[in-house]
Amino acid sequence: MNTGKAAVSGWLSRPAEWQARWVLGAALVAGVIRVGLAAPGGGMDNAIVVRAAEAWLDGLSPYADRHFLYLPGAVLAAVPQAVLPADVVRYLVPAGVSAGLVTGWACALRIHGVAWRSRFAVYGLLGLALGFAPFGHLIALGNWTVASAAALPLALLLVCRGRWVAAGLVIGAAVAVKPLLVPVVLLFVFARRWRALGAAVLVPAVVSAGAALAMPDPAGFCTRTLPFLLRGDDTFVRLYEASPGAVLPRLGMPQGAASLLAFAAAGAGVWCAWRRWGSGGPREPRVVETAVMLMLAAFLVSRPSYDHYLLVVVPLLLAGALVPGAAARGKWFWLALVPQLPGFTWPWLELGTRRAFKDSATLCVLAFTVARSCLRPTAAILDGAEPPEAVEPVVPVSRSAF
């Protein structure tokens, strides 16, 4: 047993000092005020959704703006912002995004039984807020990815507690606003939880159909948004996409070859997730790693794929760092996060339109890290050790129906 690691884990599990909690609170509040002072609409991405809601209130089609990439339910969800005073929205939106990220972190911690008042909880969230650039980017943009960042940890927490249908409802509610978590429904397929799968599919279907009927262009998402997403031909959006299919052509690779490579990587990721689910082992890391691998596989091939999508998976992985054998304990996890350190100047990459190269590096290394963890033998996961070249036979771990 590694007593050094045990001592560190024990120290991190103890309650955090009041000074640390105050510093965390000050950092979060400062981020909200900073964005509120700089962004009257609550952020550029949030403003797109609000404009869509305003267009609907004026009797126009929300999908006239091709940058509005959300399902019809998001239009109705944005209506309250469209009628609120701008001075309220500019602070309400970053505060809501921050609250969503805190909620996601809190649920991720509870999956692994980590106390919210522990040093690990406080310092971990402080590290994300100050040391992980996409955290600040998401708050500044006001992007609705925050719904997925909060919903996925909550859904996985419910899964770990055996409440599959409730988890399906949570995933469905998030998809009804933004279809980012669609890949996670494969978790229900792997587990053969058909009622949960039905809930995850039925909720966004009903909400989207009902909202679409209230639109002047009911099929706008299918006729305008889906073709835009499949083509991915927006020159402005392409500069910020982190998927290999978008980045590699900028480095000289033919688009066809880049897309084929991205699809192959995504397919390999889904296979790794399926292998991880079938490998058994402790419930919590099994659920988290399977779901995270599914999401990363989607990010490798999706168009668009932005840096703030990483906030859907990174807090989930980081929250398990105290668990032996967790992916966050490996060196590759931390190397993947290095390009996202704020304040460090990367030669030739600091131009805003070149940030996608850093984001793609993080995405690919993170996908490799989780895939490697998914393919480790169950015995290695239980022991928290790296899989050796040759091991003596072990007693197989029972694969429960969970």
Side-chain angles (χ1 to χ4, degrees):
M1 180 177 66
N2 191 324
T3 56
K5 288 185 178 179
V8 172
S9 297
W11 184 85
L12 288 172
S13 299
R14 298 190 187 100
E17 300 81 4
W18 66 268
Q19 295 93 336
R21 294 197 294 269
W22 275 99
V23 169
L24 173 61
L28 294 174
V29 171
V32 171
I33 295 175
R34 175 180 60 84
V35 174
L37 293 174
M44 179 177 67
D45 291 358
N46 180 73
I48 293 174
V49 189
V50 174
R51 284 199 301 269
E54 291 173 343
W56 177 71
L57 291 174
D58 292 336
L60 304 175
S61 172
Y63 293 100
D65 182 355
R66 63 179 181 174
H67 290 138
F68 177 65
L69 306 178
Y70 300 83
L71 290 170
V75 177
L76 301 185
V79 167
Q81 288 191 57
V83 299
L84 285 174
D87 289 339
V88 174
V89 171
R90 68 189 305 161
Y91 293 102
L92 182 63
V93 172
V97 174
S98 298
L101 293 174
V102 172
T103 299
W105 175 245
C107 292
L109 291 172
R110 295 310 302 156
I111 291 175
H112 300 287
V114 179
W116 294 333
R117 296 172 61 87
S118 66
R119 290 190 177 110
F120 181 74
V122 173
Y123 295 154
L125 183 56
L126 187 61
L128 287 171
L130 301 182
F132 189 55
F135 192 100
H137 294 165
L138 184 61
I139 297 175
L141 293 171
N143 193 281
W144 286 33
T145 294
V146 66
S148 301
L152 183 57
L154 175 58
L156 298 186
L157 177 61
L158 292 170
V159 166
C160 290
R161 295 181 176 181
R163 300 174 62 185
W164 286 88
V165 175
L169 292 173
V170 171
I171 295 295
V175 171
V177 174
K178 184 172 183 175
L180 191 62
L181 295 186
V182 169
V184 178
V185 301
L186 283 177
L187 176 63
F188 303 135
V189 176
F190 293 165
R192 299 182 180 180
R193 299 285 179 163
W194 309 120
R195 292 178 61 189
L197 175 63
V201 173
L202 189 61
V203 170
V206 171
V207 172
S208 297
L213 292 176
M215 307 288 167
D217 183 11
F221 181 82
C222 296
T223 60
R224 300 190 186 191
T225 301
L226 277 182
F228 172 80
L229 291 173
L230 293 174
R231 289 194 308 267
D233 58 358
D234 185 276
T235 55
F236 174 77
V237 169
R238 190 185 302 121
L239 295 175
Y240 299 93
E241 291 183 347
S243 64
V247 169
L248 291 177
R250 296 177 64 184
L251 297 175
M253 179 178 287
Q255 181 64 63
S259 298
L260 182 62
L261 181 62
F263 275 101
V270 173
W271 177 78
C272 289
W274 175 74
R275 282 287 305 272
R276 179 65 185 97
W277 180 257
S279 67
R283 175 182 301 184
E284 291 79 9
R286 180 189 181 194
V287 169
V288 169
E289 290 182 359
T290 301
V292 167
M293 190 70 255
L294 289 171
M295 292 305 305
L296 288 172
F299 296 161
L300 288 171
V301 75
S302 65
R303 307 288 300 271
S305 184
Y306 302 127
D307 69 327
H308 50 76
Y309 288 6
L310 295 172
L311 283 165
V312 177
V313 296
V314 168
L316 277 167
L317 295 172
L318 181 61
L322 298 182
V323 179
R329 288 200 168 196
K331 56 182 177 293
W332 288 105
F333 173 79
W334 299 101
L335 288 174
L337 303 186
V338 169
Q340 304 302 327
L341 291 173
F344 184 83
T345 302
W346 294 89
W348 304 294
L349 292 181
E350 289 311 306
L351 187 66
T353 55
R354 296 177 182 172
R355 194 182 70 206
F357 295 108
K358 299 193 302 180
D359 302 336
S360 184
T362 295
L363 172 60
C364 292
V365 176
L366 201 59
F368 166 78
T369 302
V370 179
R372 184 170 177 265
S373 182
C374 287
L375 296 178
R376 285 186 301 172
T378 302
I381 297 172
L382 288 170
D383 295 337
E386 294 291 335
E389 295 295 331
V391 295
E392 297 180 359
V394 295
V395 177
V397 177
S398 173
R399 299 184 182 185
S400 66
F402 173 81

